[in-house]
Amino acid sequence: MAGQKFQYDESGATFFYFLLSFLALLLVPGTYYWWPRKQKEDPKALASECYCPGCRKKKLVLQSTKPWELMKRTCIKVIIIAGWALLAFLAYKVSQFDYESASFDPYDILNVPIGTSEKVIKKAYRRLSLIYHPDKETGDEKKFMKLTKAYQALTDDESRKNWEKYGNPDGPGAMSFGIALPSWIVEKENSVWVLGLYALVFMIALPTTVGMWWYKSIRYSGDKVLLETSRMYYYFLHKSNSIPLKRVIMILSASLEFEKKYNSEIVERSSDEHEMPQLIKQLYNFGEKAQKEPPLSYNYSIKARALIHAHLSRLVLKADTLDLDRMYIVKKCPYLIQEMVGVVSQLILLAYAQRVPRLLNIETIENCMKLCPMVIQALWEYKSPFMQLPYISEDHIKHFDNKKKRVRSIQHLAQLKNEDRRSTLKFLSDSQYEDLVKVLGRMPYIDFKVRCEVIDDEATTVYTAGAIVTVTVQLKRRDMRVLFGDESYADKHHIELEKNAAKETEKPDKLEKPLSNGDVIENNEDIENKETKDDEKEKKVTKGIWQQKRQSGKGKKSGNVKKPKATLSASAKKKIKKKEKLEKAKLGDPETKETEKDKTEDDKTEDKDQLKDSNASSDDDSDSDNESSSDASGEESEKTDAEDTADDKKKVSANNDDDDDDDWDKFQSGANKKDRVLEGRTKQSHLVHSPYFPEEKHEYWWVYLSDRKSRTLLTVPYHVTELVDEEEIQLKFTAPRWPGVYVFAVCLRSDSYFGFDQMHDIKLDVKEAPEPLTEHPQWDISDEEDDTKEEDKQSDISEFTTDEDVED
């Protein structure tokens, strides 16, 4: 009876097959993805590349700080080539294995057809044996052995039957399975070595590697910042309500990433003993001995702070010692500043929840944000933003403050015509001016729009106390080159400052009373006027759709000829919508052009509706004076009533369809936003021109909502890291608990450039929260329905079948 037999691979054939297939699965995709290729340089990127001394030095620094890059490429090539060589060797080894014995066919060996007689088989055996006999010159011992075995199998009747029936001259045999491992693994002599290797790999090496990775990972936060550094930020930042910029630099320099004990990459040099005192003497307002509290007074903190001061002052340091340390410290600063901003926002939230005694002012978090572009551009906050451009030093700032043409900002410089810009920058050569224009054209120009609404409410533009207000910020990024020579674009930052200054000078005596929390309410007369207007609006809108239908039905029954009130409510709705649009325009809605168009269209429609209403009223008066008219006139009036009600129904249905479309669009936009959130956020946007920063930096932005009067933060700053073309951000906050008019500011701050921050004011007219509904017209039940319900209660007949009915 046939059975199964498992055995280890003695010859190594199956093991070589396993290795061959495993190597092929690794090498084919690995060669395609990992083989080092020369990156193709984009001609547009080369054309827009800056060749100023700072950028050329940075390029050399990036190449020199990565010497392992060439070694890495070489090692990858060597490993892939060695893998293909091993694959070729295994393929050759497998091809040398003899598998002819596995497929034994005696007819094929003797070169005779199946079913040949024994006489012909003997003749074929004699002929082939004379050729392959070992004693002959053409002899082959292996082939002769096969000939003999084939001859015996075909000349013996039983062997021949076994081969024809089972495929084996010896009869049915056991099925053999080979394990793709060599047999020496299970040999008794090698058992100790095999167990030792198993213990070394799976019991020592693997747990040690996992433990080291886990111990290292738990020390860091998600942004690769030490947790001890975050705790130190919490300790120092909550000690005061407002922290100045100099104090923020001290706290940043005390980060434990710059301590040798916590970071093995830090290099402690013996040359620091005489180089650091010389550097500190060159720094203005450093204040080395001013701080005595640890760790601000530790040596590593003083060194880091001195190097940051030297970086912001653009001092030239020794290339092989202090400059290397400066580049390493500066590279870490953006991540640490982002962590510091997160810590400040968390402390503010804890203060709102009364978990922390102090509420930090908005100056603290803005000083932290301000430090990031200072580090990227290597400039102090009081320096001119023009020094971000190549070849512009402090000696050249006077050229931008010319009496003939005063250049206010970088955006204003881009808006100048080429002749005016060249005359302003006449101190530059043609090549230098070309580099400056390249950098200027790649700088960001942000179109900043803000929309405010209450999403979960029917009236999205009505803000009640305690409501969740959603501020949608739309950012559209373009290169500054779109402004070249076009003076039609407004310099938003300076125009807003001028407008605010004009308002303060023109209206100094405006009656505004500050609240305890820094909010503002209007004059009492204005509030009373607004309340009367709101009451008039509410009186006009009290009629709902359900009441319109009932009134039209009652008019038909009583025979009244007057036009139903549905048209009046529709016109009232139009007026209310018109007023809401005008209020939006006053509040600074960016879509002012559309509101003006809608205004003209609404005026035309209102004029038409007023004409229709006057005609209808005149017809109604004539009908009331001539009550003894004929039945024909009565029928015509009924027809007109029916037509009017039909038109009203169509208008209502159209309005409902429009509302449904708007709701569906909102739902789709929300679903798309959720999908984008699930996809994850990238950190690739546009490269920043930063010749003093030792790494490539991408443009990031902070968006947040603040109250400038009370100097408080209302929302957690949203870090925009993927603004390539357009981006939409939603900021949510709770409206104030007290009614009044509030002015908040939506702020946009860059973490890479100076002079590109924007601020957009939003004005909220917060009203009292409505009381819970106790009565509603939909809940009213007519007399007929009450009578039917009373009849149902009084009736003893049940609508269900009982057992007595079945028995009957």
Side-chain angles (χ1 to χ4, degrees), residues 258-427:
F258 308 142
E259 170 66 74
K260 178 71 175 178
K261 180 180 177 181
Y262 294 90
N263 188 0
S264 60
E265 296 180 359
I266 295 295
V267 179
E268 294 181 349
R269 310 178 190 275
S270 58
S271 60
D272 293 342
E273 296 180 1
H274 62 274
E275 287 183 353
M276 288 305 302
Q278 296 176 2
L279 174 62
I280 292 174
K281 290 179 181 179
Q282 301 177 16
L283 300 176
Y284 173 74
N285 196 16
F286 179 69
E288 177 188 3
K289 298 180 180 179
Q291 290 296 331
K292 296 183 179 180
E293 54 182 331
L296 302 182
S297 59
Y298 290 169
N299 291 331
Y300 83 91
S301 177
I302 295 174
K303 179 181 178 180
R305 187 162 78 252
L307 292 176
I308 292 174
H309 276 255
H311 173 73
L312 297 179
S313 302
R314 295 186 177 182
L315 297 180
V316 179
L317 303 177
K318 196 172 181 180
D320 55 348
T321 55
L322 290 181
D323 197 47
L324 294 177
D325 297 338
R326 176 195 66 85
M327 288 189 291
Y328 183 82
I329 289 172
V330 168
K331 283 191 295 186
K332 294 284 186 180
C333 285
Y335 304 100
L336 299 174
I337 293 172
Q338 175 60 26
E339 180 69 17
M340 195 178 294
V341 171
V343 168
V344 175
S345 60
Q346 289 293 328
L347 287 173
I348 292 174
L349 292 178
L350 291 173
Y352 284 145
Q354 297 181 354
R355 301 282 298 276
V356 174
R358 291 185 181 89
L359 176 62
L360 299 181
N361 294 336
I362 197 170
E363 285 82 3
T364 300
I365 195 168
E366 288 184 346
N367 286 332
C368 296
M369 294 178 181
K370 195 184 299 180
L371 182 58
C372 194
M374 288 171 55
V375 172
I376 300 300
Q377 298 296 335
L379 284 175
W380 287 100
E381 60 170 338
Y382 52 84
K383 297 292 183 179
S384 174
F386 292 107
M387 295 180 67
Q388 301 173 103
L389 299 173
Y391 307 107
I392 304 297
S393 63
E394 198 167 359
D395 299 333
H396 301 138
I397 302 302
K398 59 184 179 181
H399 295 279
F400 297 97
D401 196 8
N402 194 359
K403 294 181 180 179
K404 296 181 180 179
K405 191 70 174 178
R406 183 175 179 271
V407 182
R408 299 187 301 269
S409 63
I410 293 178
Q411 180 179 334
H412 189 199
L413 179 65
Q415 289 180 259
L416 295 178
K417 295 181 180 179
N418 192 22
E419 297 80 9
D420 298 337
R421 191 187 309 114
R422 188 69 183 95
S423 64
T424 304
L425 302 172
K426 59 185 177 181
F427 55 88

Side-chain angles (χ1 to χ4, degrees), residues 6 29-30 69-70 148 241 244 342-343 350 370 434 453 503 531 573 589 594 601 693 713 743 764 792:
F6 293 90
E69 192 70 29
L70 181 61
T148 304
N241 293 339
V343 168
L350 291 173
K370 195 184 299 180
E434 185 180 355
E453 58 185 348
K503 288 180 181 179
E531 288 179 355
K573 287 181 180 179
D589 198 340
E594 296 181 0
E601 293 177 358
F693 190 71
L713 184 71
V743 179
L764 299 184
D792 293 337

Side-chain angles (χ1 to χ4, degrees), residues 71 208 273 496 609 721:
M71 184 182 295
T208 303
E273 296 180 1
E496 287 178 359
D609 293 334
T721 60

Side-chain angles (χ1 to χ4, degrees), residues 35-50:
W35 182 261
R37 299 176 180 86
K38 187 177 181 180
Q39 296 181 355
K40 296 182 180 179
E41 296 182 350
D42 189 5
K44 294 182 179 179
L46 291 176
S48 61
E49 188 175 355
C50 178

Side-chain angles (χ1 to χ4, degrees), residues 500-516:
N500 293 332
K503 288 180 181 179
E504 291 177 358
T505 55
E506 289 176 1
K507 299 179 181 181
D509 298 330
K510 189 175 180 180
L511 295 176
E512 293 181 350
K513 298 179 181 179
L515 295 174
S516 59

Side-chain angles (χ1 to χ4, degrees), residues 582-600:
L582 291 175
E583 288 176 358
K584 284 183 182 179
K586 291 178 182 178
L587 292 175
D589 198 340
E591 300 177 356
T592 55
K593 295 181 179 180
E594 296 181 0
T595 54
E596 290 177 358
K597 293 180 181 179
D598 296 336
K599 178 182 175 182
T600 55

Side-chain angles (χ1 to χ4, degrees), residues 525-735:
E525 295 179 358
D526 296 334
I527 294 175
E528 291 176 358
N529 293 331
K530 285 187 176 182
E531 288 179 355
T532 54
K533 291 180 181 179
D534 295 334
D535 294 336
E536 292 177 358
K537 289 182 182 179
E538 290 176 358
K539 289 178 181 179
K540 292 180 180 179
V541 191
T542 49
K543 302 299 182 181
I545 298 174
W546 55 89
Q547 291 178 333
Q548 294 169 8
K549 294 181 179 179
R550 288 184 180 179
Q551 287 173 359
S552 61
K554 290 179 181 179
K556 286 182 181 180
K557 290 181 181 180
S558 60
N560 293 331
V561 190
K562 290 184 179 180
K563 193 173 181 179
K565 293 183 180 180
T567 56
L568 295 176
S569 61
S571 62
K573 287 181 180 179
K574 289 181 180 179
K575 290 180 181 178
I576 292 167
K577 287 182 179 179
K578 175 187 172 184
K579 290 181 180 179
E580 288 178 353
K581 290 178 180 178
L582 291 175
E583 288 176 358
K584 284 183 182 179
K586 291 178 182 178
L587 292 175
D589 198 340
E591 300 177 356
T592 55
K593 295 181 179 180
E594 296 181 0
T595 54
E596 290 177 358
K597 293 180 181 179
D598 296 336
K599 178 182 175 182
T600 55
E601 293 177 358
D602 292 337
D603 291 336
K604 293 179 181 179
T605 53
E606 283 180 3
D607 294 336
K608 293 180 181 180
D609 293 334
Q610 288 176 359
L611 289 174
K612 290 181 181 180
D613 294 337
S614 62
N615 294 330
S617 62
S618 62
D619 293 337
D620 295 337
D621 294 334
S622 61
D623 289 334
S624 61
D625 294 335
N626 301 322
E627 292 180 355
S628 60
S629 59
S630 59
D631 296 335
S633 62
E635 292 176 358
E636 290 178 358
S637 63
E638 289 179 359
K639 289 180 180 180
T640 55
D641 288 336
E643 291 175 358
D644 291 335
T645 53
D647 293 336
D648 295 334
K649 289 180 180 179
K650 289 181 180 179
K651 290 180 181 179
V652 171
S653 62
N655 293 329
N656 291 334
D657 293 337
D658 294 337
D659 295 338
D660 292 340
D661 293 337
D662 295 337
D663 294 339
W664 176 251
D665 293 336
K666 290 180 180 179
F667 174 76
Q668 287 294 104
S669 62
N672 294 332
K673 289 174 186 175
K674 289 180 181 179
D675 294 338
R676 291 184 62 187
V677 170
L678 293 175
E679 288 176 1
R681 295 173 60 190
T682 62
K683 292 190 177 182
Q684 301 291 327
S685 57
H686 295 269
L687 288 177
V688 178
H689 178 261
S690 53
Y692 294 92
F693 190 71
E695 282 188 342
E696 290 184 346
K697 178 70 173 63
H698 289 262
E699 294 177 6
Y700 300 151
W701 305 83
W702 281 294
V703 181
Y704 58 95
L705 187 67
S706 64
D707 186 0
R708 311 308 295 186
K709 294 185 178 179
S710 62
R711 300 189 306 168
T712 55
L713 184 71
L714 299 182
T715 62
V716 176
Y718 185 88
H719 201 207
V720 183
T721 60
E722 51 185 359
L723 179 57
V724 179
D725 295 321
E726 293 183 6
E727 187 71 17
E728 185 174 300
I729 301 103
Q730 285 189 347
L731 305 175
K732 295 186 178 182
F733 71 102
T734 305

